[in-house]
Amino acid sequence: MENPSEKTPAKWESLPSWLLTQTANHAHRLVTDGFSSACARGYHYRLLATLEESGPASQAALGRRSGIHVSDMVATINELADRKLVERAPDLSDRRRNVISLTAPGKRQLRRLEKQLAECQDELLAPLSPDERQQLTGLLSKLLDHHNRRTGTPEEPWR
């Protein structure tokens, strides 16, 4: 009988695609759990952060800026509006549209989510030095930029 501790890793376990996928699974779990502990989801963070960075906007503009698909945008806004984290107001230039803006409680929630996200990053990258973290981030950004340019569509992280 083979001793599992003496098992030689399979060839595929050293492939970059395998390593990225497995690490992404851990990252997703950490971020999802972190956001969940703050009663939030990734889309909530993305929308709140987009509003803070870009200011009030229509649902369509927020979708483009945040990368949240239109089919998910209304539900996300509804969830945040129900909790008074964002508010809707008629667009003065086009009454058929609403303008979504960040509220003071929304800003406080965004700060909580940013804190959770920073803790998740620290946990995920714990074995790396600050220089290694910076290098890894640079390399991952380079890979993602390359593949986004090739496909023309950014991926959908942090639902």
Side-chain angles (χ1 to χ4, degrees), residues 65-111:
R65 292 175 189 163
S66 67
I68 298 173
H69 192 273
V70 66
S71 64
D72 296 312
M73 181 57 73
V74 173
T76 302
I77 291 171
N78 287 343
E79 291 166 2
L80 295 173
D82 288 347
R83 295 173 55 198
K84 309 283 191 243
L85 302 177
V86 301
E87 65 183 16
R88 290 183 181 97
D91 186 335
L92 298 177
S93 64
D94 183 349
R95 294 244 182 237
R96 296 170 294 175
R97 284 193 311 205
N98 285 317
V99 172
I100 313 303
S101 56
L102 186 61
T103 63
K107 288 180 184 180
R108 288 190 295 274
Q109 176 69 346
L110 179 57
R111 297 290 88 78

Side-chain angles (χ1 to χ4, degrees), residues 134-146:
Q134 190 172 20
Q135 183 180 18
L136 176 64
T137 301
L139 291 170
L140 290 171
S141 294
K142 185 175 181 176
L143 281 171
L144 185 60
D145 288 346
H146 168 78

